[in-house]
Amino acid sequence: MTLPPGTPDLAVLDLLVSVADTGSLGAAARRHGMSQPAASMRISALERRMRLRLLDRGPTGSTLTDAGGAVVAAARTVLEAARSFNETVSALHSAAAPRLRIAASKTIADHRIPQWLAELRRLRPDIAVSLEVDNTAHVEAMVRAGDADLGFVEGPHPPPDLGGRVLGADELLLVVGPTHPWAGRTDPVTSGELAATPLLWREPGSGTRDTVWEILGAEGPPAPPAAELGSAIAIVAAARAGVAPAVLSTLVAAPELAAGALVRVALSDSVVLNRKFRVIWRRGTPPAGPAELLVRCATNT
């Protein structure tokens, strides 16, 4: 069934309803972003099309005629149906849009994820991505629970119950603030000395902490932390103030070293501090579609 000729468009019906709501052509015009003469012309055209007088215009405003009141009542029903239709179409678009849920440890989220997502968006701007940032242990837990399609973590070993792939390595540096006694040190720090020194540590569950703890643990239990801090930013601030030495990712330490806010301390050749960056997923469900494309972006950039 087709609409009969002369059926008014929704925009002019919406304008007429606004006149009824505001009691004024001028106020209705402002609501719709047009001039009052333009609004008056549109309502007059509607009256001619319908062959009905819809408004009584006066110096104090515009009031609906009986016919106008009946048209506005019917128009409200039509406009509500149109809004419902538009919401349904929008929901269909949202449901059809590819979505990707990822979780990443803090260092990767700050220093690697933006570049990978930029490349993903260049290739597939239609993919909607949500990102959760937490330490490695929590990211792994989110992937296990199915709350993230992919996780990006760092640490010495792959999670035994998850699938994954190594994306690269990250060197860890021993740093101190300029006022710390080690700032002017010329002889390298040995692994035994480092293990015996209270350091600034991230919280349990951090990939950096797990990596360094395992390496230093070869010399025996590491010394109790000088402080446990929940972010690399907090560790940088404490190290700059000379509280204690810290082991930081090159990605985090590089700007501070370049500015002279931190000083790198040499380690003996026997001390190798590095960690691996990994992408992880639930075992048995390797990345596909948008997830596979993001893994390719992370591998190639």
Side-chain angles (χ1 to χ4, degrees):
M1 180 178 179
T2 60
L3 292 174
T7 299
D9 62 68
L10 296 176
V12 72
L13 291 180
D14 198 19
L15 176 62
L16 180 64
V17 170
S18 291
V19 175
D21 289 342
T22 63
S24 163
L25 262 172
R30 287 191 295 275
R31 176 184 286 183
H32 289 263
M34 64 178 68
S35 66
Q36 180 171 337
S40 180
M41 289 176 59
R42 297 205 66 184
I43 296 297
S44 295
L46 176 64
E47 290 176 318
R48 289 193 298 273
R49 176 180 291 182
M50 302 185 73
R51 293 180 296 173
L52 293 169
R53 186 164 58 86
L54 304 175
L55 295 180
D56 283 329
R57 298 166 174 83
T60 60
S62 299
T63 58
L64 295 172
T65 64
D66 290 343
V71 169
V72 165
R76 291 188 192 277
T77 301
V78 171
L79 292 172
E80 183 58 36
R83 292 188 187 97
S84 177
F85 173 80
N86 288 334
E87 290 170 0
T88 298
V89 172
S90 296
L92 290 172
H93 280 294
S94 297
R99 300 189 63 82
L100 181 59
R101 302 167 303 158
I102 62 176
S105 62
K106 295 175 183 178
T107 300
I108 298 178
D110 289 342
H111 298 279
R112 285 289 183 261
I113 290 290
Q115 182 181 5
W116 299 340
L117 292 185
E119 178 63 12
L120 178 67
R121 183 163 183 78
R122 185 185 70 80
L123 297 172
R124 288 285 304 276
D126 59 314
I127 297 175
V129 179
S130 62
L131 169 65
E132 292 285 340
V133 181
D134 214 316
N135 64 33
T136 290
H138 285 132
V139 171
E140 292 174 358
M142 289 184 66
V143 173
R144 288 188 190 97
D147 295 328
D149 303 309
L150 292 175
F152 294 91
V153 297
E154 70 263 359
H157 305 293
D161 57 339
L162 295 172
R165 178 189 304 173
V166 173
L167 297 174
D170 178 35
E171 184 181 8
L172 301 174
L173 307 179
L174 177 62
V175 298
V176 295
T179 61
H180 191 276
W182 284 5
R185 176 173 180 149
T186 57
D187 55 314
V189 174
T190 66
S191 58
E193 187 177 6
L194 188 60
T197 301
L199 302 175
L200 298 170
W201 291 91
R202 283 283 303 277
E203 78 286 356
S206 158
T208 303
R209 177 182 176 128
D210 290 347
T211 298
V212 178
W213 196 275
E214 179 175 296
I215 293 170
L216 297 185
E219 300 291 331
E228 289 184 336
L229 303 170
S231 71
I233 293 175
I235 289 181
V236 166
R240 288 175 63 170
V243 173
V247 177
L248 293 173
S249 163
T250 303
L251 299 172
V252 175
E256 303 293 327
L257 295 172
L262 290 176
V263 177
R264 182 176 180 178
V265 180
L267 293 166
S268 65
D269 292 341
S270 62
V271 185
V272 179
L273 296 178
N274 57 43
R275 60 181 176 178
K276 294 181 174 65
F277 288 154
R278 289 183 175 84
V279 56
I280 57 173
W281 53 81
R282 295 180 74 182
R283 182 170 290 175
T285 57
E292 181 183 17
L293 184 57
L294 179 58
V295 172
R296 290 210 307 267
C297 293
T299 302
N300 297 330
T301 56

mmCIF file of all heavy atoms in Angstrom, residues 87-108:
data_model
loop_
_atom_site.group_PDB
_atom_site.id
_atom_site.type_symbol
_atom_site.label_atom_id
_atom_site.label_comp_id
_atom_site.label_asym_id
_atom_site.label_seq_id
_atom_site.Cartn_x
_atom_site.Cartn_y
_atom_site.Cartn_z
ATOM 1 N N GLU A 87 15.318 4.347 16.000
ATOM 2 C CA GLU A 87 16.047 3.639 17.055
ATOM 3 C C GLU A 87 16.293 2.182 16.670
ATOM 4 O O GLU A 87 17.367 1.627 16.946
ATOM 5 C CB GLU A 87 15.273 3.725 18.369
ATOM 6 C CG GLU A 87 15.264 5.117 18.981
ATOM 7 C CD GLU A 87 14.300 5.227 20.155
ATOM 8 O OE1 GLU A 87 13.643 4.201 20.479
ATOM 9 O OE2 GLU A 87 14.191 6.335 20.730
ATOM 10 N N THR A 88 15.295 1.576 16.018
ATOM 11 C CA THR A 88 15.463 0.188 15.573
ATOM 12 C C THR A 88 16.573 0.088 14.535
ATOM 13 O O THR A 88 17.416 -0.816 14.590
ATOM 14 C CB THR A 88 14.147 -0.348 14.980
ATOM 15 O OG1 THR A 88 13.133 -0.330 15.994
ATOM 16 C CG2 THR A 88 14.319 -1.769 14.457
ATOM 17 N N VAL A 89 16.593 1.020 13.587
ATOM 18 C CA VAL A 89 17.637 1.009 12.564
ATOM 19 C C VAL A 89 19.009 1.224 13.193
ATOM 20 O O VAL A 89 19.984 0.542 12.848
ATOM 21 C CB VAL A 89 17.353 2.084 11.492
ATOM 22 C CG1 VAL A 89 18.534 2.214 10.535
ATOM 23 C CG2 VAL A 89 16.082 1.739 10.722
ATOM 24 N N SER A 90 19.099 2.163 14.152
ATOM 25 C CA SER A 90 20.378 2.410 14.827
ATOM 26 C C SER A 90 20.849 1.177 15.579
ATOM 27 O O SER A 90 22.042 0.839 15.570
ATOM 28 C CB SER A 90 20.245 3.588 15.803
ATOM 29 O OG SER A 90 19.956 4.773 15.107
ATOM 30 N N ALA A 91 19.903 0.490 16.225
ATOM 31 C CA ALA A 91 20.265 -0.729 16.957
ATOM 32 C C ALA A 91 20.766 -1.804 16.008
ATOM 33 O O ALA A 91 21.708 -2.542 16.325
ATOM 34 C CB ALA A 91 19.068 -1.241 17.753
ATOM 35 N N LEU A 92 20.155 -1.896 14.829
ATOM 36 C CA LEU A 92 20.618 -2.873 13.838
ATOM 37 C C LEU A 92 22.028 -2.554 13.369
ATOM 38 O O LEU A 92 22.856 -3.443 13.182
ATOM 39 C CB LEU A 92 19.650 -2.903 12.644
ATOM 40 C CG LEU A 92 18.273 -3.505 12.921
ATOM 41 C CD1 LEU A 92 17.355 -3.292 11.729
ATOM 42 C CD2 LEU A 92 18.400 -4.996 13.236
ATOM 43 N N HIS A 93 22.308 -1.259 13.177
ATOM 44 C CA HIS A 93 23.660 -0.865 12.786
ATOM 45 C C HIS A 93 24.658 -1.217 13.883
ATOM 46 O O HIS A 93 25.753 -1.716 13.610
ATOM 47 C CB HIS A 93 23.715 0.635 12.501
ATOM 48 C CG HIS A 93 23.206 0.998 11.143
ATOM 49 N ND1 HIS A 93 23.821 0.618 9.984
ATOM 50 C CD2 HIS A 93 22.122 1.725 10.763
ATOM 51 C CE1 HIS A 93 23.163 1.078 8.940
ATOM 52 N NE2 HIS A 93 22.106 1.752 9.389
ATOM 53 N N SER A 94 24.286 -0.947 15.139
ATOM 54 C CA SER A 94 25.198 -1.243 16.253
ATOM 55 C C SER A 94 25.452 -2.735 16.371
ATOM 56 O O SER A 94 26.575 -3.174 16.620
ATOM 57 C CB SER A 94 24.604 -0.714 17.566
ATOM 58 O OG SER A 94 24.469 0.687 17.514
ATOM 59 N N ALA A 95 24.388 -3.530 16.180
ATOM 60 C CA ALA A 95 24.546 -4.977 16.292
ATOM 61 C C ALA A 95 25.403 -5.522 15.162
ATOM 62 O O ALA A 95 26.131 -6.499 15.327
ATOM 63 C CB ALA A 95 23.182 -5.649 16.290
ATOM 64 N N ALA A 96 25.304 -4.879 13.987
ATOM 65 C CA ALA A 96 26.045 -5.379 12.832
ATOM 66 C C ALA A 96 27.503 -4.934 12.843
ATOM 67 O O ALA A 96 28.339 -5.544 12.180
ATOM 68 C CB ALA A 96 25.368 -4.899 11.550
ATOM 69 N N ALA A 97 27.824 -3.866 13.573
ATOM 70 C CA ALA A 97 29.194 -3.353 13.578
ATOM 71 C C ALA A 97 30.121 -4.345 14.278
ATOM 72 O O ALA A 97 29.816 -4.823 15.372
ATOM 73 C CB ALA A 97 29.242 -2.000 14.291
ATOM 74 N N PRO A 98 31.246 -4.681 13.664
ATOM 75 C CA PRO A 98 32.192 -5.589 14.319
ATOM 76 C C PRO A 98 32.708 -4.974 15.619
ATOM 77 O O PRO A 98 33.023 -3.782 15.674
ATOM 78 C CB PRO A 98 33.325 -5.722 13.285
ATOM 79 C CG PRO A 98 32.761 -5.225 12.000
ATOM 80 C CD PRO A 98 31.717 -4.224 12.361
ATOM 81 N N ARG A 99 32.763 -5.787 16.670
ATOM 82 C CA ARG A 99 33.231 -5.307 17.964
ATOM 83 C C ARG A 99 34.399 -6.167 18.427
ATOM 84 O O ARG A 99 34.452 -7.371 18.172
ATOM 85 C CB ARG A 99 32.111 -5.348 19.007
ATOM 86 C CG ARG A 99 30.910 -4.504 18.656
ATOM 87 C CD ARG A 99 29.942 -4.402 19.822
ATOM 88 N NE ARG A 99 30.553 -3.739 20.959
ATOM 89 C CZ ARG A 99 30.642 -2.427 21.095
ATOM 90 N NH1 ARG A 99 30.167 -1.629 20.164
ATOM 91 N NH2 ARG A 99 31.205 -1.898 22.161
ATOM 92 N N LEU A 100 35.325 -5.536 19.105
ATOM 93 C CA LEU A 100 36.504 -6.235 19.598
ATOM 94 C C LEU A 100 36.789 -5.755 21.008
ATOM 95 O O LEU A 100 36.975 -4.557 21.255
ATOM 96 C CB LEU A 100 37.705 -5.947 18.693
ATOM 97 C CG LEU A 100 39.027 -6.625 19.045
ATOM 98 C CD1 LEU A 100 38.888 -8.136 19.045
ATOM 99 C CD2 LEU A 100 40.119 -6.196 18.077
ATOM 100 N N ARG A 101 36.805 -6.691 21.958
ATOM 101 C CA ARG A 101 37.090 -6.362 23.363
ATOM 102 C C ARG A 101 38.517 -6.809 23.662
ATOM 103 O O ARG A 101 38.852 -7.988 23.514
ATOM 104 C CB ARG A 101 36.121 -7.077 24.293
ATOM 105 C CG ARG A 101 34.638 -6.784 24.040
ATOM 106 C CD ARG A 101 33.772 -7.784 24.786
ATOM 107 N NE ARG A 101 34.109 -9.139 24.399
ATOM 108 C CZ ARG A 101 33.853 -10.214 25.139
ATOM 109 N NH1 ARG A 101 33.264 -10.089 26.317
ATOM 110 N NH2 ARG A 101 34.181 -11.421 24.719
ATOM 111 N N ILE A 102 39.338 -5.865 24.085
ATOM 112 C CA ILE A 102 40.721 -6.203 24.407
ATOM 113 C C ILE A 102 41.057 -5.708 25.810
ATOM 114 O O ILE A 102 40.428 -4.792 26.336
ATOM 115 C CB ILE A 102 41.720 -5.625 23.386
ATOM 116 C CG1 ILE A 102 41.673 -4.090 23.374
ATOM 117 C CG2 ILE A 102 41.442 -6.175 21.994
ATOM 118 C CD1 ILE A 102 42.711 -3.468 22.460
ATOM 119 N N ALA A 103 42.056 -6.357 26.399
ATOM 120 C CA ALA A 103 42.573 -5.946 27.702
ATOM 121 C C ALA A 103 44.088 -5.924 27.583
ATOM 122 O O ALA A 103 44.676 -6.734 26.857
ATOM 123 C CB ALA A 103 42.134 -6.907 28.799
ATOM 124 N N ALA A 104 44.723 -4.999 28.274
ATOM 125 C CA ALA A 104 46.174 -4.860 28.152
ATOM 126 C C ALA A 104 46.776 -4.425 29.471
ATOM 127 O O ALA A 104 46.156 -3.689 30.248
ATOM 128 C CB ALA A 104 46.532 -3.852 27.064
ATOM 129 N N SER A 105 47.997 -4.896 29.714
ATOM 130 C CA SER A 105 48.737 -4.417 30.881
ATOM 131 C C SER A 105 49.090 -2.946 30.666
ATOM 132 O O SER A 105 49.058 -2.427 29.544
ATOM 133 C CB SER A 105 50.000 -5.253 31.093
ATOM 134 O OG SER A 105 50.858 -5.134 29.971
ATOM 135 N N LYS A 106 49.442 -2.275 31.740
ATOM 136 C CA LYS A 106 49.531 -0.813 31.701
ATOM 137 C C LYS A 106 50.619 -0.312 30.761
ATOM 138 O O LYS A 106 50.419 0.648 30.009
ATOM 139 C CB LYS A 106 49.747 -0.291 33.121
ATOM 140 C CG LYS A 106 48.558 -0.583 34.028
ATOM 141 C CD LYS A 106 48.799 -0.176 35.474
ATOM 142 C CE LYS A 106 47.618 -0.562 36.360
ATOM 143 N NZ LYS A 106 47.830 -0.237 37.777
ATOM 144 N N THR A 107 51.787 -0.940 30.781
ATOM 145 C CA THR A 107 52.873 -0.479 29.912
ATOM 146 C C THR A 107 52.504 -0.639 28.449
ATOM 147 O O THR A 107 52.715 0.268 27.631
ATOM 148 C CB THR A 107 54.172 -1.254 30.215
ATOM 149 O OG1 THR A 107 54.535 -1.046 31.582
ATOM 150 C CG2 THR A 107 55.299 -0.783 29.321
ATOM 151 N N ILE A 108 51.946 -1.786 28.091
ATOM 152 C CA ILE A 108 51.566 -2.008 26.697
ATOM 153 C C ILE A 108 50.442 -1.062 26.298
ATOM 154 O O ILE A 108 50.433 -0.511 25.190
ATOM 155 C CB ILE A 108 51.144 -3.471 26.487
ATOM 156 C CG1 ILE A 108 52.316 -4.408 26.793
ATOM 157 C CG2 ILE A 108 50.669 -3.692 25.061
ATOM 158 C CD1 ILE A 108 51.989 -5.884 26.667
#
